[in-house]
Amino acid sequence: MPHEVKRLMPHCRALQPKPLVIRGRRFTLATIRAVQRCVRMHYESGRTHISVTICRRLRWRQPNGWIKDRACRAALRKLEELGYIELPPVQRNRRPCRRRRNPCGRRTFVPVNHSYQDLTLLWAKGNALEKTWNAFVQTRHYRGHRITVGRSVKYLVRQRDNYVAAISFASAAWGIEQRNLVLQHIGIPPWEIRDLVINNSRFLILAKKGVLNLASRILRLATSRVADDWYRYYSIRPRIVETFVEPSRFEGTCYKAANWIAVGQTRGFKKSGDAHSNSQQPKLMFLYGLNAATRRRLFEFAAHPIRC
């Protein structure tokens, strides 16, 4: 271990009495001491090995049993910024990671393709179709493809022998005040949004020629299956799906046709690290209930909206 590592750990007496909260996890005095010991012991093994070891020791796992190593690495970088630890240098030339096995002994998720009339919804997460999905979105979607941090599922939509669409769902956006008020009105408090709300993060129509009601039919097919697939994959059953539409590009017509409820606009703030900046165009917000009871409450809200 380099000499500078011996002086990297400040005394924990300098910690604030109030525990730190990073990526939704509380870091108490005892937790940070455990992290410091782990960094000292595994410094030469690299950041990924350190984060995996910390996740296992602190039992930092997702509901489906997978370790939250990406969130852990983000927390470690934050602790390094605050001066509590010093991480080893980033290893640029790493070998490709092998696919992780099921860590909790549960049954492996087996995707099932679902059909609606002549459309077939194909699972594109963790299989060969995911590369096809990534390529379509990267080259044809105006926002491109980015690695999703957190939970996500992806689908390709096939009509006969042709791919006609790509759609994905990810973890919900945080800290949108107007949306949170609507969700609280229909029975979802802010502290449950992380688990009960998902986001339609990408929706790409590949068909060049117009197909009657294609977009709304795909939304109907995807929303009828995503709650079950999300539960099988992450052991969490969402109740609401949200999406954001840029009004300069689209009007959200397909969402309206699929009975999604418009609940207002965002204020255009963007989160970068811990800072927020008002640097984006305000977007239209739409919500859709993934079960009959939630849809009924949303329709009641649409008929008698509250002032947000």
Side-chain angles (χ1 to χ4, degrees):
M1 183 181 298
H3 294 292
E4 60 268 16
V5 178
K6 297 180 181 179
R7 56 180 178 81
L8 62 87
M9 305 298 180
H11 293 291
C12 291
R13 289 175 294 182
L15 288 174
Q16 297 292 334
K18 183 178 180 181
L20 297 171
V21 179
I22 307 174
R23 296 300 295 266
R25 185 179 181 91
R26 296 172 71 251
F27 283 82
T28 62
L29 179 64
T31 304
I32 293 182
R33 283 177 174 169
V35 171
Q36 291 175 337
R37 286 194 299 269
C38 186
V39 172
R40 284 198 299 266
M41 292 175 60
H42 302 279
Y43 186 89
E44 300 295 340
S45 299
R47 299 189 178 197
T48 300
H49 181 82
I50 291 172
S51 65
V52 170
T53 304
I54 290 175
C55 285
R56 289 172 176 169
R57 291 187 179 181
L58 301 183
R59 299 179 181 178
W60 197 357
R61 296 179 179 271
Q62 301 180 26
N64 62 356
W66 292 358
I67 59 176
K68 302 183 68 173
D69 52 332
R70 284 188 179 179
C72 182
R73 284 197 292 274
L76 291 177
R77 289 193 294 270
K78 184 63 177 180
L79 290 175
E80 185 179 36
E81 292 177 4
L82 296 174
Y84 296 119
I85 61 174
E86 182 175 330
L87 295 172
V90 178
Q91 299 177 6
R92 297 296 181 184
N93 298 323
R94 294 179 299 174
R95 293 180 297 176
C97 296
R98 293 181 297 177
R99 220 173 151 180
R100 292 179 295 183
R101 297 180 180 178
N102 191 345
C104 53
R106 301 178 184 175
R107 292 185 301 172
T108 303
F109 172 73
V110 179
V112 179
N113 299 331
H114 309 286
S115 299
Y116 171 63
Q117 296 180 5
D118 59 339
L119 298 175
T120 303
L121 192 70
L122 303 175
W123 178 263
K125 173 80 171 180
N127 55 14
L129 289 180
E130 186 171 11
K131 293 183 178 180
T132 304
W133 189 99
N134 294 344
F136 279 140
V137 174
Q138 177 63 34
T139 56
R140 302 194 186 187
H141 197 280
Y142 71 97
R143 294 185 62 191
H145 167 62
R146 298 177 182 177
I147 297 177
T148 303
V149 178
R151 306 164 187 148
S152 67
V153 297
K154 303 175 182 178
Y155 301 103
L156 284 171
V157 183
R158 186 174 63 196
Q159 187 177 40
R160 300 180 182 90
D161 296 328
N162 300 317
Y163 293 121
V164 295
I167 190 170
S168 67
F169 299 87
S171 300
W174 286 28
I176 302 179
E177 182 179 0
Q178 184 171 350
R179 180 212 57 188
N180 292 357
L181 289 174
V182 175
L183 294 177
Q184 193 167 3
H185 179 73
I186 65 173
I188 299 180
W191 56 87
E192 292 187 352
I193 290 177
R194 182 180 180 183
D195 290 334
L196 300 185
V197 182
I198 59 177
N199 179 271
N200 176 205
S201 53
R202 292 290 187 274
F203 187 21
L204 172 65
I205 300 295
L206 299 168
K208 295 182 179 180
K209 295 183 179 180
V211 180
L212 185 62
N213 302 327
L214 176 63
S216 58
R217 289 165 60 193
I218 291 172
L219 286 173
R220 176 181 176 182
L221 177 61
T223 53
S224 67
R225 293 305 313 174
V226 67
D228 291 338
D229 289 343
W230 195 276
Y231 178 75
R232 294 190 187 102
Y233 204 75
Y234 292 111
S235 301
I236 298 172
R237 184 174 293 278
R239 290 174 50 191
I240 288 279
V241 58
E242 66 180 7
T243 196
F244 304 96
V245 176
E246 293 188 14
S248 61
R249 294 176 178 269
F250 310 103
E251 298 180 0
T253 305
C254 64
Y255 292 100
K256 297 174 185 177
N259 293 325
W260 290 51
I261 304 299
V263 296
Q265 286 189 343
T266 65
R267 294 191 294 172
F269 281 88
K270 177 182 179 181
K271 185 175 185 296
S272 179
D274 294 332
H276 292 77
S277 60
N278 192 1
S279 59
Q280 291 188 325
Q281 178 187 8
K283 298 178 182 179
L284 304 174
M285 295 185 293
F286 291 87
L287 298 178
Y288 183 80
L290 296 176
N291 57 62
T294 305
R295 285 194 293 272
R296 184 169 57 251
R297 292 187 177 184
L298 278 174
F299 292 148
E300 292 173 354
F301 165 81
H304 306 283
I306 60 175
R307 292 185 178 180
C308 298

